[in-house]
Amino acid sequence: MPIRRLPPETVNRIAAGEVVERPASAIKELVENAIDAGASHIEIQADGGGLTRILIADDGKGIPKDELPVAVERHATSKLEPDDAGDVDLLRIFTLGFRGEALPSIGSVARLNITTRAKADAGQNEAWAITVEGGHHHPVAPAGFPGPHGARVEVRDLFYATPARLKFMKSERSEAMAISEEIKRQAMAHEEVAFTLTLDGKTTLRLPAEHKGDEGRLRRLGAILGRDFEANALLIDQERDGTRLSGYAGLPTYSRGNAAHQFLFVNGRPVRDRLLQGALRGAYADFLARDRHPAAVLFIDIDPLYVDVNVHPAKAEVRFRDPALVRGLIVGALKHALHAAGHRASTTVAADALSGFQPHTGVQNHGQYAPSEPSASGFSAWAGWSRPEAAAQIIPGLSERSARIEHTWSGQQAAPSFRTLAEVQAEHAGHIAPAPHTPVDPIDFPLGAARAQLHATYIVAQTRDGLVIVDQHAAHERLVYERMKGQMEGGHVSRQALLTPEVVELDPAEAERVSAKADELAEMGLIVEAFGSGAVLVRETPALLGDTDVQGLIRDIADDLSEHGSALSLKERMAEVCGTMACHGSVRAGRVLSAPEMNALLRQMEATPHSGQCNHGRPTYVELKLNDLEKLFGRR
């Protein structure tokens, strides 16, 4: 069969299969065109899952009359400008669209109508329209347009010209959900643009324009992801070597059962990248179980020269010139934000606790009420207040000041002096010297003063404006774990030499990657070296791991290096062992604590980062405000 050129209509339909995969992808291309045109408000309508009708209306700069016929031609765009030599630089792309394929691809498989009025400075005051049906272009004609300038792009009968493609579409409901998710992603990236989405005549999303910046972005994210995300999100803002990372990440206790609430944007473009999942996994490794996922919306601003956006027809994937830099920036920024959060737990913890209370308006008393003496297993007696030395028994290395506080306030009534978490942490770190002979009432500390122990498991503390309930085992487990982790980071990881060095056979590329990370692995107690072209030799392993499966460990590390560029498996195994040791070495549920012991635990929680959740992401304490308690009893 001879080689022949395909007709232009066939070429466009082939291209449409790459660019316009489903209605949501067509809407994505049209919305990006509107954003590139400077629109401040974009209205999206879709009927029948987008297969029957799509309408995108914007108030951007519009398209001049003489450019309309060119706009629907293949590879025609206003977003790339050749230099004096006629060359176009594809490495410095500052717009969302640039390929010039969306409009001709849609016009080749559907009935496309574009109505537009250009701004007055473009020399066009009238409105004009052009229609493309199945690749056939109609001439430009006058039309009516409701706004002063902008464009209205209407798509009807999507894929009517390629009926085989319709068989691969999902249900109308599924396609409508995909459209909604796409608009939400676009709205996250452009908080200064107002969006309105109407599906089958019902407005499902209405987002007003927000001020550009962190506050406006957080309000937009709260409107899309929920107010709980807004209340429990940590601000991310770090820069390294000209690359800036901003956005918001959720507290560990505000985790999800899947990765649906993880979003990455590069230069305002929503992208899918395994780099994000690996970086999030590494940053939250100390705080979440493997089946829990953090919520995060991250924005990377980078010189277009260092990121390639032309690797996917739908521009859904990018390639970084230095992926290790980007991953390190994400992990470092997230860990910094989590550390700054201190012992903060998510607001949803308190909300879930309050929802469990069931106020009763009447009492069913089947027997005579008779108060009894408090049981030792119910809560601690107050005789322990005068024994501050007992506090040191619960937490090794407890500072003398924690015990001194108990003795100071036990016999004196101090004036209220509320102290912030930052002040408490700074004082424990030695940044602030406590005033001599100044009585401090523990009720003014962030976690308050211990008042009781319930079921030999939960500490009840009183604060100035509420109460705190602490899970003593989970809280102390985090304190012990953080101390062990600090020893690891200080380079004090003990190693055990293998009686016989073990050779692990790998793919040559995998072996090279593992050998290249030998110094990093040595810091965690694993000594490896190259052994030929397709193997590594393991001489020592971390003592914490005990009798470990060396072959499986090295292969897991090789997989991590291939996928994420970092040896997450070893870090996670070390963290898992530290967590297990911390669990067994911490105060167990069922142990009766004295008052000084309970208060000592609260003070160390305040001074220890990440103490708001245990090693598995569960909360270590619940804080209930006085206002909420009064509402339970109808006092408010």
Side-chain angles (χ1 to χ4, degrees):
M1 182 178 294
I3 299 175
R4 60 176 62 86
R5 293 185 177 87
L6 294 174
E9 294 80 6
T10 304
V11 173
N12 286 337
R13 289 176 184 174
I14 293 174
E18 299 176 340
V19 178
V20 188
E21 180 184 1
R22 60 193 305 187
S25 58
I27 289 176
K28 170 184 178 294
E29 299 288 343
L30 297 177
V31 168
E32 289 182 347
N33 283 345
I35 294 173
D36 285 337
S40 60
H41 184 273
I42 302 175
E43 180 181 354
I44 305 100
Q45 298 179 15
D47 298 329
L51 295 171
T52 303
R53 177 178 175 268
I54 293 172
L55 175 67
I56 310 292
D58 68 74
D59 59 354
K61 64 183 180 180
I63 305 174
K65 172 189 175 183
D66 56 349
E67 295 182 11
L68 269 177
V70 185
V72 293
E73 291 183 5
R74 186 166 171 76
H75 298 311
T77 181
S78 62
K79 301 165 187 178
L80 295 178
E81 186 175 354
D83 57 20
D84 296 337
D87 297 327
V88 176
D89 188 0
L90 291 178
L91 298 179
R92 291 189 178 274
I93 298 173
F94 297 92
T95 55
L96 297 177
F98 60 91
R99 298 171 65 98
E101 292 182 315
L103 293 178
S105 295
I106 295 172
S108 66
V109 296
R111 295 182 173 91
L112 172 68
N113 179 268
I114 304 175
T115 304
T116 179
R117 174 179 286 155
K119 280 189 174 181
D121 58 2
Q124 300 290 337
N125 294 321
E126 304 87 357
W128 302 90
I130 188 171
T131 300
V132 182
E133 293 185 317
H136 177 67
H137 296 193
H138 293 269
V140 176
F145 192 83
H149 54 79
R152 291 171 59 88
V153 181
E154 186 176 31
V155 181
R156 291 185 177 273
D157 303 328
L158 187 62
F159 299 126
Y160 90 96
T162 54
R165 175 58 65 89
L166 290 173
K167 298 179 181 179
F168 294 91
M169 295 297 106
K170 297 182 179 179
S171 65
E172 291 185 1
R173 177 178 174 81
S174 296
E175 297 297 341
M177 291 177 61
I179 292 171
S180 180
E181 291 301 314
E182 181 59 46
I183 298 304
K184 289 178 181 178
R185 282 193 292 268
Q186 296 291 341
M188 290 181 199
H190 306 281
E191 68 272 9
E192 74 282 3
V193 180
F195 288 85
T196 302
L197 173 62
T198 303
L199 298 174
D200 294 317
K202 181 180 179 181
T203 300
T204 60
L205 192 65
R206 190 185 300 276
L207 301 171
E210 303 287 355
H211 292 293
K212 196 170 180 64
D214 292 332
E215 293 184 3
R217 174 177 287 173
L218 183 57
R219 283 194 296 269
R220 173 61 60 84
L221 295 179
I224 295 173
L225 299 179
R227 296 305 173 189
D228 283 342
F229 178 84
E230 183 177 358
N232 297 288
L234 303 173
L235 176 64
I236 308 295
D237 193 354
Q238 295 285 330
E239 186 171 349
R240 183 184 301 174
D241 296 339
T243 300
R244 179 173 179 245
L245 177 72
S246 59
Y248 291 89
L251 290 165
T253 44
Y254 182 75
S255 60
R256 318 289 293 188
N258 55 46
H261 279 197
Q262 295 177 2
F263 302 91
L264 178 65
F265 301 85
V266 178
N267 292 343
R269 184 193 312 277
V271 298
R272 296 189 299 266
D273 197 304
R274 290 185 302 176
L275 181 75
L276 173 65
Q277 295 181 350
L280 285 172
R281 177 182 161 197
Y284 282 82
D286 287 346
F287 312 108
L288 295 180
R290 293 294 295 268
D291 59 344
R292 302 298 296 178
H293 302 268
V297 183
L298 303 178
F299 301 84
I300 295 176
D301 294 302
I302 186 173
D303 188 331
L305 187 63
Y306 298 103
V307 58
D308 188 0
V309 299
N310 193 29
V311 297
H312 191 277
K315 306 181 292 295
E317 299 176 6
V318 296
R319 183 176 295 129
F320 296 102
R321 176 176 293 187
D322 189 354
L325 168 67
V326 177
R327 186 188 184 280
L329 176 61
I330 294 176
V331 173
L334 289 173
K335 286 190 173 182
H336 178 79
L338 291 170
H339 185 275
H343 70 266
R344 175 184 169 192
S346 68
T347 58
T348 54
V349 173
D352 292 342
L354 285 170
S355 66
F357 285 94
Q358 297 180 357
H360 294 275
T361 56
V363 178
Q364 295 180 356
N365 192 355
H366 299 288
Q368 183 66 30
Y369 171 72
S372 58
E373 292 297 323
S375 167
S377 63
F379 62 89
S380 296
W382 302 119
W385 291 122
S386 60
R387 297 186 295 105
E389 66 278 2
Q393 299 175 5
I394 182 173
I395 305 174
L398 179 65
S399 67
E400 294 181 1
R401 182 179 180 280
S402 295
R404 188 169 62 251
I405 288 175
E406 306 298 340
H407 181 71
T408 301
W409 75 271
S410 62
Q412 303 182 45
Q413 183 63 36
S417 173
F418 181 77
R419 313 179 63 222
T420 65
L421 172 63
E423 291 173 340
V424 174
Q425 290 181 334
E427 185 172 310
H428 278 266
H431 299 160
I432 301 176
H437 309 297
T438 301
V440 179
D441 190 341
I443 198 174
D444 293 310
F445 283 93
L447 294 182
R451 295 303 191 211
Q453 184 187 25
L454 303 180
H455 301 291
T457 300
Y458 302 102
I459 299 171
V460 179
Q462 179 185 353
T463 62
R464 282 289 173 192
D465 60 348
L467 63 87
V468 173
I469 305 174
V470 178
D471 182 335
Q472 65 187 40
H473 173 67
H476 196 222
E477 180 182 345
R478 167 56 71 177
L479 300 181
V480 175
Y481 176 77
E482 288 295 328
R483 187 170 65 249
M484 295 179 64
K485 190 174 68 172
Q487 294 174 357
M488 288 177 55
E489 293 175 352
H492 304 299
V493 180
S494 58
R495 303 193 295 259
Q496 59 184 6
L498 299 180
L499 186 62
T500 303
E502 191 156 348
V503 178
V504 182
E505 300 287 343
L506 297 170
D507 180 86
E510 293 178 338
E512 184 177 353
R513 280 192 288 265
V514 172
S515 301
K517 293 288 185 178
D519 293 340
E520 178 183 328
L521 297 175
E523 294 177 359
M524 293 183 286
L526 184 65
I527 305 301
V528 301
E529 60 186 54
F531 192 77
S533 61
V536 294
L537 184 71
V538 181
R539 295 190 178 276
E540 298 179 51
T541 60
L544 279 174
L545 297 182
D547 186 14
T548 187
D549 177 11
V550 176
Q551 296 279 340
L553 174 61
I554 295 298
R555 290 193 172 91
D556 287 346
I557 291 174
D559 291 341
D560 280 337
L561 291 174
S562 175
E563 184 173 358
H564 306 297
S566 179
L568 295 178
S569 290
L570 179 57
K571 293 179 180 179
E572 289 182 348
R573 289 195 185 195
M574 294 286 284
E576 184 177 352
V577 172
C578 286
T580 300
M581 294 177 64
C583 181
H584 288 283
S586 60
V587 174
R588 308 299 295 180
R591 174 178 168 182
V592 177
L593 303 178
S594 67
E597 287 177 327
M598 291 188 288
N599 277 285
L601 181 64
L602 297 178
R603 299 294 81 80
Q604 279 223 343
M605 288 178 64
E606 293 163 345
T608 303
H610 321 309
S611 60
Q613 59 277 323
C614 72
N615 306 337
H616 308 293
R618 294 188 294 271
T620 58
Y621 72 91
V622 176
E623 183 177 11
L624 303 178
K625 296 298 184 182
L626 187 59
N627 290 342
D628 296 325
L629 295 175
E630 290 176 340
K631 289 178 183 178
L632 288 175
F633 292 95
R635 298 174 66 91
R636 282 183 177 269

